[in-house]
Amino acid sequence: MSAASPHGTLTVGRPTARTPDPRVMASRGFVSLVWLVLVAELSWAVAGVVLAMLGVFSLPLVLAAWTALGLGLWVATRSARSGDGGPTARSTTWIRLAALAVTLTAIIGNGLLPGEHLQTGRDGGTYTSTAGWIASDGGLLIDAEVPPFDNSTDLGFDAAGFHEIVPHGPLYAQFMHALPAMMATVDLAGGIDLMVRTNALIGGVALLAFYAFAERLMRPWLALVAQVALATNLVFVYFTRAPFAELLMLGMLFGGLWALDQAVSLSDRTVGFVSGLLLGATFLARLDGLVVLLMLTAALLPPLVGGRLRRVAPAALVGIAAISAVSVIDLFVFSPFYVQLHVDFLVPLGLALMVVGAITGASHTAHGRNVVAGALRHRATIGAGIAIAIVVAGVLAYTVRPWFAVATWDRTTPIGFLQQTEGQAVDEARTYAEQSARWLGWYLGLPALTAGLLGWAALTWRTIADRLDRTVPFLLTFSGLATLYLWRPSITPDHIWADRRFLPVVIPGLLVCAAWLLDRLWSRTSIGRQPLASRVGLAAVAVLMVALPLRLMLPVAELHEEAGLAREIAAACNRLGDDAAVLLLDEEGTAMHYRMTQPLRSHCGVPAAWADDTITNRRVRELAGRAGDRTLYLLAERPESFEGRPVGQPFTLLAHRSTRLAPTLTTPPQRLEGYGLDVLAAPVTSAG
């Protein structure tokens, strides 16, 4: 008995097992790998931050919770790993291997040259000190008023990024705490020297997720161009080496968009839910992830949601809500000082979310349905109008706004010294936001920026006119963040610091739009005149997308900020010992006490406080007496601060010398500058 198989082959008798198609296996292998790294990163972040909030963070518990969550998510994504996509062309397989090579090269290269931001001067030091505290204490709340500093009169405990809400209460670490919890895991597993390299791994995941998402919108080789352009961008390189949460947000966003697109193509609500978890983790990573979630919520609710996206949108929203619940607890319970700083940001966001809900409700009324139907009838005109507005606004932002606007805000930032250095009038209320479009031009290059702007406009028109529902979440998120931060970055305007605002969404979004435009034009050249010349021109633009940003990155490619500080702090902790307590002097003209109190408390696990350098010797002896079995050390930056003090022979605890990227205001950063950190210590004695 014979029968024709549905694949057109003839079977005789009992069917035999089909030989797996290597191209299908290759496709599924790549998809499975992307899912593996995304599931691993998401479960790591969630397990770490939840255990830290519970105050029971430890390496065995993190590994157990991480494994349990990861396995659950892995099982939930089974259909996406086995049912999305058919055979892969040989060229696509090679391009995917190249994308993996780019990812691994970035992880290794940036991991070898980490920014060892361990002083609490700016956000990186806050993240690393929070990680050190989680690793040593197991929780997020910092009880600093412990013996010998439990009588806190005339003592200080706070530092940059660490503040109390009520007198004698715990210190709260600013920011969201997913990244510190992940770094704390590495700290416990491999020490502080490995901890400062964590972000290189997170940046690699972000690169892979970015490529995977871009590949679903365009030819694989153009997705690779976009990935390489991102990987070699100075902003990406700098903040991948340094401990900042933008890379975690970038990876969760583009990984979530990739997963959501898979869910749509499979009509799979379970995968849609997991995509929502990934997208919701943008808020778990950073506070401005709330803006991302606002845009995504609007994209996943009527009247914007449509087509096949409508089927999985509710599941994605449930996933977003689930992770957002964890993030809200982290923010409001464990970072209340940060909430107080950003009330002016949070209140408008809350109102905007209410507006989205009101529009959704109105779209279900008879009048609302008529309005939506009318808009759909004129969608081509509406799309064209919005596209034209994007191009006009972008051109004006780059060419006109810098000449006729001077952006300021209602507070000042310490940029006066840079203004003097660059020959400008000193006005520390300036934000330089009028230059924001040109900042992007520095790092992307004018060809990529132009292609990105035109691609943004064209993709907007196509999405609205042709009702491309699958591109709505990306497009609305990118458009919202780009508009917000191009108009008002809301950040201290020195570079490269200010440019991190554009890293999670705007820079990669522009690269996606630019590569998508090249892809559309490449398709059109096959039916136009002189296709070879046209394609050579498009290929030249693709080359420039990668080559021009290298002009900024290559001169500082060996940047290793604060090199060696991690090992030096570990050595300092060993010299102090576990039975130490440190009192740092607030010396006039220095800020050492504000930069090192929390790092020593976190990484050395010793009681730490600071006091004005006018503190009396009697008070110093009293504190030494309260230390019990601990040795109290007096710490200062200048040797003369020990003169006349009841201390033994001072010794050098830290003598750090390194380089960092020199800040600028009106030009891209292009040189390194040297700096030093000196910490002297002396044991307090009973006489003196």
Side-chain angles (χ1 to χ4, degrees):
M1 181 77 64
S2 64
S5 81
H7 302 284
T9 59
L10 191 66
T11 61
V12 179
R14 185 175 179 178
T16 58
R18 293 175 58 211
T19 303
D21 187 334
R23 297 175 301 165
V24 174
M25 298 300 292
S27 176
R28 291 179 180 176
F30 177 77
V31 171
S32 296
L33 177 62
V34 178
W35 271 116
L36 177 64
V37 296
L38 290 176
V39 162
E41 184 171 76
L42 175 63
S43 53
W44 182 12
V46 173
V49 77
V50 169
L51 291 173
M53 290 191 293
L54 293 173
V56 294
F57 190 98
S58 67
L59 187 58
L61 282 178
V62 170
L63 293 178
W66 183 2
T67 301
L69 282 172
L71 286 175
L73 293 173
W74 182 252
V75 171
T77 59
R78 180 179 179 180
S79 63
R81 291 181 280 110
S82 59
D84 186 49
T88 300
R90 185 182 300 274
S91 60
T92 298
T93 299
W94 284 108
I95 291 169
R96 286 175 170 178
L97 289 173
L100 291 174
V102 171
T103 298
L104 291 174
T105 301
I107 292 173
I108 295 170
N110 293 322
L112 290 173
L113 300 169
E116 301 181 36
H117 294 199
L118 294 162
Q119 307 174 62
T120 53
R122 279 189 147 172
D123 296 4
T126 301
Y127 282 123
T128 55
S129 288
T130 303
W133 177 261
I134 294 171
S136 63
D137 180 76
L140 287 170
L141 300 182
I142 301 170
D143 185 9
E145 295 190 27
V146 296
F149 306 126
D150 46 336
N151 179 1
S152 60
T153 305
D154 66 15
L155 298 179
F157 301 94
D158 60 328
F162 297 88
H163 304 279
E164 63 182 17
I165 297 299
V166 297
H168 310 296
L171 297 180
Y172 293 90
Q174 275 186 208
F175 313 127
M176 309 300 291
H177 300 115
L179 176 61
M182 297 170 77
M183 289 194 294
T185 310
V186 180
D187 192 358
L188 288 174
I192 189 174
D193 191 48
L194 281 181
M195 182 196 74
V196 296
R197 305 170 198 271
T198 307
N199 223 32
L201 178 61
I202 294 173
V205 174
L207 277 178
L208 185 59
F210 175 76
Y211 169 82
F213 171 73
E215 189 194 73
R216 295 185 74 89
L217 297 181
M218 63 195 71
R219 288 172 171 81
W221 72 268
L222 282 166
L224 180 64
V225 168
Q227 186 205 35
V228 175
L230 179 61
T232 56
N233 189 288
L234 179 58
V235 181
F236 179 89
V237 170
Y238 181 91
F239 289 106
T240 303
R241 294 180 183 180
F244 290 84
E246 279 77 5
L247 275 301
L248 181 59
M249 180 177 169
L250 193 161
M252 292 294 97
L253 173 61
F254 284 92
L257 290 171
W258 173 79
L260 180 61
D261 195 60
Q262 276 195 305
V264 172
S265 66
L266 295 168
S267 294
D268 191 314
R269 291 189 177 94
T270 302
V271 177
F273 171 75
V274 177
S275 75
L277 295 178
L278 289 163
L279 294 168
T282 57
F283 178 23
L284 196 69
R286 285 186 51 80
L287 180 61
D288 55 357
L290 276 172
V291 184
V292 170
L293 298 191
L294 173 66
M295 297 295 106
L296 288 169
T297 300
L300 295 172
L301 286 173
L304 294 182
V305 70
R308 298 173 67 186
L309 180 61
R310 186 188 296 271
R311 174 177 170 80
V312 300
L317 287 170
V318 171
I320 288 173
I323 291 293
S324 295
V326 178
S327 305
V328 166
I329 295 171
D330 184 25
L331 176 64
F332 285 89
V333 176
F334 295 96
S335 196
F337 183 77
Y338 198 43
V339 173
Q340 293 179 5
L341 288 177
H342 290 89
V343 169
D344 292 343
F345 172 78
L346 292 169
V347 171
L349 272 179
L351 294 175
L353 187 59
M354 294 172 63
V355 170
V356 169
I359 292 173
T360 297
S363 69
H364 287 89
T365 66
H367 179 67
R369 286 192 290 269
N370 290 334
V371 171
V372 172
L376 289 176
R377 285 194 299 271
H378 298 90
R379 60 184 181 272
T381 303
I382 294 172
I386 295 176
I388 292 171
I390 288 172
V391 173
V392 171
V395 171
L396 292 177
Y398 191 90
T399 60
V400 176
R401 189 185 180 201
W403 292 102
F404 294 97
V406 177
T408 60
W409 53 8
D410 56 0
R411 62 187 179 93
T412 60
T413 55
I415 59 172
F417 75 99
L418 283 176
Q419 290 173 323
Q420 290 178 328
T421 300
E422 297 185 10
Q424 302 180 56
V426 175
D427 180 2
E428 293 190 324
R430 285 196 65 180
T431 66
Y432 293 87
E434 73 276 3
Q435 305 282 343
S436 59
R438 293 191 175 181
W439 299 348
L440 291 172
W442 295 347
Y443 299 105
L444 292 172
L446 197 55
L449 182 61
T450 302
L453 178 64
L454 296 175
W456 179 8
L459 183 58
T460 299
W461 176 75
R462 281 287 311 277
T463 298
I464 296 174
D466 297 344
R467 301 189 69 180
L468 303 179
D469 53 283
R470 291 168 65 175
T471 60
V472 170
F474 161 73
L475 189 59
L476 196 60
T477 300
F478 165 67
S479 299
L481 270 292
T483 302
L484 173 64
Y485 285 142
L486 281 168
W487 178 252
R488 187 181 180 184
S490 298
I491 192 170
T492 304
D494 60 299
H495 304 284
I496 195 168
W497 178 259
D499 309 303
R500 58 195 281 247
R501 276 289 182 266
F502 303 108
L503 179 55
V505 181
V506 181
I507 288 176
L510 283 169
L511 290 173
V512 166
C513 290
W516 178 87
L517 179 67
L518 295 182
D519 183 74
R520 296 298 92 196
L521 294 175
W522 191 274
S523 297
R524 285 183 171 273
T525 57
S526 63
I527 58 175
R529 286 182 161 184
Q530 298 181 324
L532 178 60
S534 299
R535 289 190 170 184
V536 168
L538 294 174
V541 174
V543 170
L544 290 174
M545 284 177 60
V546 175
L548 286 183
L550 286 173
R551 78 194 190 283
L552 295 184
M553 198 276 288
L554 289 178
V556 292
E558 297 182 359
L559 174 67
H560 186 177
E561 284 197 323
E562 306 186 35
L565 185 56
R567 293 181 182 178
E568 291 174 39
I569 287 182
C573 293
N574 289 333
R575 184 158 191 182
L576 289 172
D578 297 333
D579 59 349
V582 294
L583 179 65
L584 293 83
L585 294 181
D586 177 6
E587 304 160 283
E588 184 178 357
T590 76
M592 186 273 291
H593 73 287
Y594 208 56
R595 293 178 179 272
M596 292 305 300
T597 298
Q598 186 59 46
L600 292 173
R601 183 187 292 131
S602 294
H603 302 302
C604 299
V606 299
W610 58 269
D612 192 86
D613 61 0
T614 59
I615 188 173
T616 65
N617 287 344
R618 179 179 179 180
R619 175 62 167 149
V620 172
R621 292 194 196 95
E622 177 192 342
L623 292 171
R626 298 173 66 89
D629 294 334
R630 292 184 178 274
T631 300
L632 178 64
Y633 289 89
L634 204 62
L635 271 57
E637 187 170 348
R638 295 191 289 255
E640 56 267 27
S641 295
F642 296 105
E643 294 177 1
R645 291 293 187 182
V647 297
Q649 180 63 37
F651 60 90
T652 299
L653 188 64
L654 273 175
H656 176 65
R657 298 292 180 273
S658 187
T659 58
R660 54 191 173 196
L661 196 60
T664 61
L665 283 175
T666 57
T667 58
Q670 278 293 272
R671 68 178 182 87
L672 306 181
E673 63 178 10
Y675 83 101
L677 170 66
D678 294 296
V679 181
L680 305 176
V684 176
T685 62
S686 59

